[in-house]
């Protein structure tokens, strides 16, 4: 399987992806780890695309992250899209809860968030989500799962876990 997990920052893409990886064993890749250096600088676009392309050429993967500039490419290469389409308040709460805690999807621990990042989250549904929806329409032949709250995504993971448990028996 080739799965991308997208959604507003703070929606829990990485947490969802880790759980999906643990259930399925499908290799997991975080776009933030491909793009950011530990000193909070970014790699050049060529390096980022080279890293992403290497993953896309693999037989199976879970890729967690948005990165609008490569979303079309990732959707095209995927067979499954998971969109965590949560309310802004849930996403703002999500980033607040991860503040100061190490995360495997970032090469540093975030102690505070700048105003620009917070504004990006607040404006996600009006500025970014419409592009995501258009891409989902373009790639309607994919398996698309849109979750409106954490309960829905947790139920999905539970169902997948139950199916994988049955397959292993």
């Amino acid at each position: 399987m080739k799965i991308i997990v997208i959604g507003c920052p703070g929606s829990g893409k990485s947490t969802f992806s880790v759980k999906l990886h643990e259930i399925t064993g499908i290799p997991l890749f975080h776009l933030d780890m491909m793009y950011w250096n530990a000193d909070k600088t970014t790699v050049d676009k060529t390096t980022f695309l080279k890293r992403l392309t290497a993953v896309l050429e693999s037989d199976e993967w879970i890729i967690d992250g948005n990165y609008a500039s490569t979303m079309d490419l990732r959707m095209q290469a995927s067979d499954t899209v998971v969109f965590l389409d949560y309310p802004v308040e849930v996403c703002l709460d999500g980033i607040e809860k991860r503040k100061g805690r190490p995360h495997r999807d970032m090469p540093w621990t975030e102690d505070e968030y700048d105003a620009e990042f917070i504004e990006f989250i607040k404006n996600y549904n009006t500025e970014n989500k419409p592009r995501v929806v258009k891409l989902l329409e373009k790639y309607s032949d994919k398996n698309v799962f849109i979750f409106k709250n954490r309960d829905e995504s947790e139920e999905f993971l539970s169902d997948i876990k139950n199916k994988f448990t049955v397959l292993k028996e």
Side-chain angles (χ1 to χ4, degrees), residues 10-167:
S11 61
K13 296 179 299 296
S14 298
T15 301
F16 178 92
S17 298
V18 167
K19 290 177 181 179
L20 186 59
H21 160 72
E22 289 171 349
I23 293 167
T24 64
I26 298 171
L28 171 59
F29 302 91
H30 303 284
L31 290 179
D32 283 338
M33 294 299 283
M34 292 183 214
Y35 185 73
W36 290 98
N37 295 310
D39 64 359
K40 296 186 181 184
T41 60
T42 60
V43 299
D44 61 88
K45 187 171 183 160
T46 303
T47 301
F48 176 63
L49 287 174
K50 188 182 291 186
R51 291 174 178 176
L52 177 58
T53 302
V55 172
L56 293 177
E57 291 172 350
S58 301
D59 291 336
E60 60 179 1
W61 37 257
I62 300 168
I63 300 175
D64 142 50
N66 285 321
Y67 290 79
S69 64
T70 64
M71 193 174 294
D72 192 307
L73 177 69
R74 286 177 285 123
M75 276 199 196
Q76 184 177 4
S78 73
D79 54 53
T80 304
V81 179
V82 175
F83 179 29
L84 303 181
D85 186 18
Y86 300 163
V88 170
E89 299 76 25
V90 170
C91 299
L92 288 170
D93 185 54
I95 64 158
E96 187 61 33
K97 285 181 178 173
R98 75 178 187 200
K99 192 186 300 183
R101 291 183 18 223
H103 260 244
R104 66 189 273 177
D105 65 315
M106 288 296 287
W108 68 82
T109 299
E110 196 68 67
D111 293 322
E112 62 183 352
Y113 299 99
D114 61 33
E116 186 178 331
F117 183 61
I118 299 300
E119 281 305 305
F120 179 87
I121 294 169
K122 288 180 178 178
N123 296 321
Y124 181 85
N125 285 336
T126 55
E127 294 181 11
N128 297 85
K129 181 179 171 179
R131 286 181 279 193
V132 171
V133 170
K134 281 185 183 177
L135 283 172
L136 291 173
E137 290 168 359
K138 178 179 177 180
Y139 294 105
S140 61
D141 61 319
K142 308 293 180 180
N143 298 310
V144 177
F145 299 92
I146 301 172
F147 301 119
K148 297 291 187 179
N149 58 60
R150 296 196 195 286
D151 288 343
E152 289 179 356
S153 62
E154 287 298 323
E155 184 178 328
F156 174 83
L157 289 168
S158 179
D159 289 347
I160 296 288
K161 186 175 184 176
N162 290 337
K163 288 175 184 169
F164 266 79
T165 302
V166 168
L167 290 175

